[in-house]
Amino acid sequence: MSSRRLGGTLEHQPQHLARPSSDQAVYGISVAAELLNVAPQTLRVYEARGLVEPSRTSGGTRRYSDDDLDRVRRIGELLAAGLNLAGVKLVLEMELETRRLRAELEEAHARLERERSSSTRSS
């Protein structure tokens, strides 16, 4: 069970009612399509073009996570800006690479700071 505070008291919430993590695939295609206000076929096209990769159950049913829904929303923004699906795919790949490189740069900065800090302490 998970717990949360409400008005100074501790309320217990069964674990199965806890909100899923953003990467946990919980929505079927019809629910995802409804939440996104798109047709299920649109989601199938995006998947066929490699723009989104929903999880699959053992029976092959698509399951979308909140992260997948955010990605489809981003696809919609890029399409509305005038890109075609090939352009959308390139932009999404570049955004992913940019995030990866930024994380790598932040780690390098942190490592450098640790090294500077340890060298000034030992001097």
Side-chain angles (χ1 to χ4, degrees), residues 2-99:
S2 66
S3 300
R4 63 183 178 159
R5 283 210 179 272
L6 286 180
T9 63
L10 194 60
E11 178 185 279
H12 293 286
Q13 183 177 13
Q15 194 62 32
H16 69 279
L17 295 178
R19 181 157 177 88
S21 63
S22 66
D23 63 344
Q24 187 176 358
V26 293
Y27 307 108
I29 192 167
S30 60
V31 173
E34 186 174 336
L35 289 170
L36 294 164
N37 199 28
V38 300
Q41 187 59 33
T42 300
L43 297 175
R44 290 185 191 99
V45 168
Y46 292 171
E47 182 182 5
R49 296 287 184 97
L51 298 172
V52 66
E53 294 178 40
S55 296
R56 298 279 184 151
T57 64
S58 58
T61 302
R62 292 171 180 85
R63 291 283 184 228
Y64 293 84
S65 67
D66 285 328
D67 289 346
D68 293 328
L69 300 185
D70 288 342
R71 186 170 175 95
V72 172
R73 287 183 191 100
R74 181 67 178 135
I75 292 166
E77 291 169 359
L78 294 169
L79 291 170
L83 277 70
N84 62 21
L85 290 179
V88 167
K89 186 171 185 175
L90 288 173
V91 168
L92 292 175
E93 289 169 356
M94 289 189 302
E95 288 176 344
L96 181 63
E97 180 67 2
T98 299
R99 283 192 299 274

